Amino acid sequence: MKGLKYQLKSIRRDKMCILTFLLPVIVGIAINLLSGVSFQSMGETAFGVLENNISADTVEWLQSNGTVTQYETLDELREAVNNPSTQMIGVLQTGNAIQTFLSGDELEVNRRIADTLPQIYENRIEQLSLDKTIIPVKTDNNEGLKSLLIVLALVTAMFMGCTFNAMNIISEKEDGIEFINQVLPTTTKSYVVQKMLLGFIGGSVSTIVTAFICLRIEAVQILPFLLIVLFSAYISALIGLFIGYFSNGLMVGIVYIKIVMILFLAPPIFFYLTVPDNSIIFILSYLIPSSATFEGIMNLANGSTTIAFKDIFVLVVHCIFWFLTYLLISERQKNRYN
């Protein structure tokens, strides 16, 4: 109990631990405020035209394909197109034809649009003998982005235990307390439990509070969600022990934490967005524990409760493997000092 009280005192001194706990909660509140924000307009193509150079019909045609901004002079138009913060396509009209110009730093999709726009405009009156199917746009078109941001916030909250445990062990090394721990009559398992407990509780509470703010969970999803949170927070806290064990100083520990955090967040997003879920690469991505966490929460957010139990099984395997690995390393170190 004295060891736990000492760790609680160290939390008040460590601003990084407090920030790691509160940041996902703040992000969750911000994401929850996005319910009335539409991201559809962010993906619209922007056109810039001269006020006295273009006809009203052409402006109307451009508005059917994006947003149109009119400028009084050519210099103002070129300045707007060359602005690095915009992806605007400049449009000039000569008779019944139009020409486009760019600044040169646009996305590839905008370059393609600018290249093909004059030809499309020239053939705009021709009727193509194609069957047209109108698919209504859903009014809530930002749910996919919100789900992704919510899962990122939850995975970040689970990382709190890793940060706290790593910084706690590193601070004990710098204060010389590590040498005292090595001679105390404490078993390796008791030491691991004591060091992991607060990080595990903190990561779990931070994740649950964040989920309560920004995620709607049905009654049937509560159990799998709690299992994913508990196992993921456990793995995160355990990784913090590894970082603390292999770090020789504060700066080295911070570097390790940043590297692990990137591995926690970047690969799951990359695999989720780019790799088919039936490919070998996607299966191999489960070698990273956070991939199972990310996929499990995404499955729950999408209503796939049954599939989420597969991710829970992967997390259980990771828990057992990394716990046994840390016990083996700790026992070897303790035998070396004895």
Side-chain angles (χ1 to χ4, degrees):
M1 291 299 296
K2 291 183 178 180
L4 293 179
K5 291 181 180 179
Y6 172 80
Q7 294 180 59
L8 285 172
K9 291 181 180 179
S10 67
I11 291 178
R12 295 197 299 267
R13 297 196 306 265
D14 194 344
K15 300 299 186 296
M16 181 179 291
C17 292
I18 299 175
L19 180 62
T20 307
F21 178 84
L22 294 178
L23 182 59
V25 178
I26 297 173
V27 172
I29 297 174
I31 293 173
N32 197 42
L33 297 177
L34 293 176
S35 57
V37 178
S38 175
F39 296 90
Q40 186 177 5
S41 60
M42 296 175 60
E44 290 183 344
T45 306
F47 301 106
V49 300
L50 281 178
E51 188 173 0
N52 298 323
N53 173 259
I54 197 163
S55 64
D57 293 338
T58 305
V59 172
E60 184 178 354
W61 181 78
L62 290 173
Q63 286 177 340
S64 65
N65 296 281
T67 59
V68 179
T69 305
Q70 298 189 25
Y71 297 90
E72 294 182 358
T73 65
L74 182 59
D75 291 337
E76 292 180 358
L77 174 59
R78 292 190 181 278
E79 183 180 354
V81 172
N82 293 328
N83 191 332
S85 63
T86 67
Q87 292 285 315
M88 182 175 291
I89 300 174
V91 180
L92 297 175
Q93 186 170 17
T94 305
N96 295 325
I98 63 172
Q99 60 180 8
T100 60
F101 63 94
L102 301 169
S103 63
D105 60 350
E106 287 81 8
L107 299 174
E108 181 65 22
V109 62
N110 287 338
R111 293 196 190 101
R112 297 290 182 90
I113 293 174
D115 293 339
T116 58
L117 192 66
Q119 184 178 359
I120 297 174
Y121 178 79
E122 183 180 353
N123 300 326
R124 70 191 185 281
I125 303 178
E126 295 183 4
Q127 296 294 330
L128 300 178
S129 57
L130 297 175
D131 295 332
K132 298 180 180 179
T133 302
I134 300 177
I135 301 176
V137 179
K138 295 181 179 180
T139 55
D140 197 6
N141 52 23
N142 60 336
E143 285 301 318
L145 178 60
K146 281 186 61 178
S147 298
L148 184 61
L149 293 176
I150 289 171
V151 175
L152 285 177
L154 295 180
V155 175
T156 304
M158 296 174 193
F159 192 77
M160 182 266 178
C162 174
T163 303
F164 170 76
N165 289 343
M167 298 302 294
N168 180 260
I169 295 177
I170 293 172
S171 64
E172 288 187 353
K173 282 185 176 182
E174 293 185 340
D175 295 339
I177 301 176
E178 179 193 19
F179 299 106
I180 299 176
N181 293 331
Q182 292 170 359
V183 297
L184 289 177
T186 305
T187 63
T188 303
K189 292 182 180 180
S190 300
Y191 175 82
V192 171
V193 171
Q194 177 179 312
K195 288 300 179 186
M196 286 186 57
L197 188 58
L198 287 182
F200 168 74
I201 294 175
S204 301
V205 172
S206 178
T207 306
I208 293 173
V209 172
T210 305
F212 178 78
I213 294 173
C214 58
L215 187 64
R216 296 178 181 177
I217 302 177
E218 299 179 0
V220 70
Q221 297 176 331
I222 294 178
L223 177 59
F225 175 75
L226 289 178
L227 291 177
I228 291 175
V229 170
L230 295 178
F231 290 135
S232 299
Y234 176 85
I235 294 172
S236 175
L238 191 56
I239 292 175
L241 299 189
F242 279 99
I243 294 176
Y245 177 84
F246 289 106
S247 299
N248 296 324
L250 179 61
M251 295 306 299
V252 177
I254 292 176
V255 171
Y256 286 163
I257 290 173
K258 297 303 180 184
I259 293 174
V260 173
M261 189 170 188
I262 292 174
L263 293 176
F264 239 70
L265 298 177
I269 300 173
F270 174 79
F271 291 128
Y272 178 79
L273 296 176
T274 62
V275 179
D277 56 3
N278 57 354
S279 65
I280 298 178
I281 298 178
F282 184 82
I283 297 174
L284 292 177
S285 70
Y286 277 84
L287 294 175
I288 303 175
S290 57
S291 292
T293 302
F294 188 92
E295 289 294 331
I297 299 179
M298 285 299 294
N299 288 329
L300 290 177
N302 296 329
S304 304
T305 307
T306 305
I307 302 178
F309 282 98
K310 172 198 66 176
D311 304 305
I312 295 174
F313 174 76
V314 174
L315 289 174
V316 172
V317 174
H318 275 290
C319 289
I320 297 173
F321 174 78
W322 292 112
F323 178 73
L324 294 178
T325 301
Y326 186 81
L327 284 182
L328 180 61
I329 295 175
S330 299
E331 286 292 345
R332 286 185 176 180
Q333 184 189 29
K334 200 165 187 178
N335 294 335
R336 189 185 307 123
Y337 282 101
N338 293 336

